[in-house]
Amino acid sequence: AIYATSTDLSFSEREINHVGDTLTITFTNNGLDTLVISSFTDPDSNFLLVDPPSLPLSVATFEVESVKVRFNPKAVGNLTSTLVINSNDTYNPTQAINVSGLGFHIVTAQSGTMYGGTGLIDYGRLITIDPVTAAGTAIGITGFEEVTNLRVHPITRELWGMLPSGSSTRLLRVN
């Protein structure tokens, strides 16, 4: 009998068209007879099997096998699909593994716009700054307490900032 250690794989968020995490699903033959994996029904194109085993795959009693799945989002949003392991298991011939992840797109900065961050006082909001009045208009929360030194990359038009963390600082793309 096929037994999967998990029937859900949750990937961390990833920018679209950029290779993300690779997670492993492990399964065991808990039956007395040899389990034969005949095929995998691949999830959609946002998730892919990495170096799948040659099929058919024979799994002896209590033997453990695994497959790796990589998240490579092609679309923005919460993405879900299913990997199905097809076998000769009498009671459970198809083992479904749900896969999910969040795809996002970096929005380019607007030409001629001054950007700033509110810091700790206002939950690290990203703002635009009026160059005449110095008034700030909120765009949204960055998800970080404080993003400093915001700059627009001259070629990609992506917004970059510095994220202070203790005695060090991280470079961060801001969306």
Side-chain angles (χ1 to χ4, degrees):
I2 190 169
Y3 170 76
T5 54
S6 175
T7 56
D8 293 293
L9 290 180
S10 274
F11 293 87
S12 58
E13 62 186 33
R14 176 51 81 190
E15 184 177 357
I16 61 171
N17 299 316
H18 285 76
V19 175
D21 294 338
T22 299
L23 299 178
T24 302
I25 186 71
T26 302
F27 54 93
T28 306
N29 177 8
N30 285 343
L32 297 176
D33 296 326
T34 298
L35 178 71
V36 178
I37 306 297
S38 56
S39 66
F40 296 101
T41 303
D42 291 334
D44 68 30
S45 64
N46 295 298
F47 306 89
L48 57 109
L49 287 178
V50 178
D51 300 323
S54 298
L55 298 174
L57 174 64
S58 294
V59 184
T61 301
F62 302 123
E63 189 175 64
V64 177
E65 290 289 342
S66 62
V67 291
K68 294 179 181 179
V69 181
R70 181 173 295 146
F71 183 44
N72 186 11
K74 309 280 189 271
V76 172
N78 289 316
L79 306 169
T80 60
S81 190
T82 305
L83 163 68
V84 178
I85 303 170
N86 301 296
S87 72
N88 67 338
D89 186 328
T90 306
Y91 301 105
N92 189 23
T94 58
Q95 175 68 61
I97 309 296
N98 301 310
V99 291
S100 63
L102 175 67
F104 69 90
H105 172 69
I106 295 288
V107 179
T108 56
Q110 294 179 358
S111 182
T113 302
M114 187 183 303
Y115 293 92
T118 60
L120 296 171
I121 296 171
D122 196 25
Y123 307 107
R125 290 188 191 279
L126 179 64
I127 60 173
T128 58
I129 302 170
D130 184 307
V132 175
T133 66
T137 303
I139 296 174
I141 296 174
T142 62
F144 300 98
E145 290 180 349
E146 183 178 21
V147 178
T148 62
N149 301 311
L150 291 163
R151 302 287 188 269
V152 176
H153 190 283
I155 297 170
T156 65
R157 310 289 309 153
E158 294 172 343
L159 189 60
W160 288 82
M162 307 282 289
L163 182 62
S165 177
S167 62
S168 64
T169 303
R170 263 180 37 200
L171 189 59
L172 172 77
R173 283 193 308 171
V174 180
N175 193 22

